[in-house]
Amino acid sequence: MKDNIEIKNINFKYPKSDLLFNAFSLDLNMGETTFLIGDNGSGKTTLSKLIMGILKISSGSISIDNKGIDQCTLGEIGKSIGYVFQNPDHQIFGQSVIEEMSFVPILLGNDSIETIDKADKLLDNFGLLHKRESLPFKLSFGEKRRLAIASTLMREPRYIILDEPLVSLDMNNMDIIKITINELRRTGKGLLVISHNEDFANEYADRVIKIQDGRIAYDESK
Amino acid sequence: MMKANSLDPRTKIFIVAIISTLGILYRDIKILSLIFVITLVLAFILNHDLLYVIKRLKRLLIVVFFIAFVQSVLTNQGEVLIQFYGVNILTDYGLLKAAEFILRIGIIILASVIITTSSRREILQGLVQLKIPYEIVFMVTTAIKFLPMLRDEAINMFTAIQLRGLDFKKIGFGKKLKVYKYLLLPIIISSILKAKELSIVMEMRGLRAYPTRTSYRQLSFSLKDYATMGISVIITIMFVVLN
């Protein structure tokens, strides 16, 4: 099956703890917006990290477009799937906001003028253009979250995983993120949004999957 | 098997001090081997998860073996075992020195495993009861706690930068250096910020608010501690007298 993330019979446990996923299987369509909901500790973030290859499964298989992720490097997975961590501090490195946006594309050989131009447009969309020379560590939490999403969009991934994008945000920042999600959906980008907010899921999702103790409690298409 | 936490942390510090001192003082490979075996047995008795600890130290062990290899290659004394175009590559003396180095580092690593069987709080209390100023003990234990945090921080950032589509295995050495340089600053900044937050929290909890500190928990030696320290002293004296 094409454009799919296929999770087949995976087992996973953290060291010195019980099995979190036991023979867990799930298919994700990379063209739709899927919400993964569930309580804290139910395994949502762990599942997303397994898909990205950040954590390794102990058995079973995960494949993206029929290619097993065990055969891919993090860089290769990152080229097709963008990942926005729950804590933006985990993915912000730059010494300025513009460097944060452009460092990796320029390092990978992209034209620097075009890259900077693209970065400025994205910063403008996310209301961060006036902060382009600021130190990213000094931004507010909401600004950091927006910057993390904007820098993920720089390389235009086919699919984006957003881990709890609304957590710890004020109404204004929430609105910007919601507008972004709508815009991404409108342009045909597939999304996997991890959230424990069911109202948010019902508003934007094509499909809602509830995870409970490492199992699928329900799986509904809208 | 003896439970690790059944020994007082001060006893463990005492054992580790003796083992490390012996490991550094002696140069004879037979004695070092004996100390290594004793330390290994002791670490195994006290730490039921020794194999897990060794697995986690895999990278450090690779570095140790690499240094030992370089040391053996750079030592020219002794009988030549491997020669390449008239240049001595490996001598028996060089091999001996490498083995001594591996044993010595192994003794120190295994000795430190013994300490880690106590919690940070227990070690802190043990050192305080050994009359070491609380501020110094607190700084040392906090620094120890920070090392794994620093490592996790570096791993997280390294993972995150690769997830932006950077195939680290496929880029050149110069670009790799650029990435390392790029990641160094945020790791340092993040650590400083965490240290600053921690210091504020500690001040708010009343650290150094009064000139003296009392502790709810007091450690006390048991018969097992006295016996362990006594046996350690006897073994040490035997080593010194016999050699």
Side-chain angles (χ1 to χ4, degrees), chain A residues 21 24 26 36-39 42-44 47 209-218:
Chain A
F21 290 113
F24 181 91
L26 178 69
L36 212 54
I37 61 169
D39 297 334
S42 55
K44 309 182 297 288
L47 185 63
I209 301 165
K210 181 164 185 172
I211 304 271
Q212 206 167 12
D213 300 325
R215 290 200 176 95
I216 295 174
Y218 66 77

Side-chain angles (χ1 to χ4, degrees), chain A residues 37-56:
Chain A
I37 61 169
D39 297 334
N40 291 337
S42 55
K44 309 182 297 288
T45 298
T46 302
L47 185 63
S48 69
K49 286 185 176 175
L50 289 169
I51 293 170
M52 293 305 291
I54 301 169
L55 295 171
K56 305 285 175 204

Side-chain angles (χ1 to χ4, degrees), chain A residues 165-179 197 200 204:
Chain A
L166 300 188
V167 161
S168 308
L169 296 184
D170 58 27
M171 292 303 286
N172 184 36
N173 275 303
M174 275 190 196
D175 285 344
I176 294 174
I177 304 289
K178 284 177 177 176
I179 290 167
N197 184 337
F200 175 41
Y204 293 93

Side-chain angles (χ1 to χ4, degrees), chain B residues 128-146:
Chain B
V128 167
Q129 284 185 231
L130 286 171
K131 305 289 177 208
I132 296 171
Y134 182 83
E135 284 78 4
I136 293 173
V137 175
F138 182 74
M139 274 193 285
V140 172
T141 49
T142 308
I144 292 169
K145 187 193 165 199
F146 251 77

Side-chain angles (χ1 to χ4, degrees), chain A residues 16 52 54 73-76 78-79 85 89-95 99-100 103-104 107-108 137 151 155, chain B residues 49 52 153 156-157 159-167 169-171 175 178-179 182-183 185-186 189 193:
Chain A
K16 294 181 182 174
M52 293 305 291
I54 301 169
T73 61
L74 283 176
E76 281 168 346
K79 269 176 199 159
F85 285 82
D89 285 327
H90 285 166
Q91 64 186 117
I92 287 177
F93 335 93
Q95 290 168 41
E99 193 193 47
E100 177 67 29
F103 176 76
V104 174
L107 191 78
L108 289 173
F137 298 98
S151 53
R155 62 166 194 288
Chain B
D49 231 355
Y52 174 72
E153 196 77 34
N156 279 339
M157 292 205 172
T159 302
I161 201 163
Q162 288 181 89
L163 288 178
R164 288 205 193 164
L166 188 72
D167 210 339
K169 282 181 185 164
K170 288 182 185 165
I171 59 171
K175 283 183 179 175
K178 260 189 191 172
V179 173
Y182 187 64
L183 291 181
L185 187 78
I189 289 179
L193 290 176

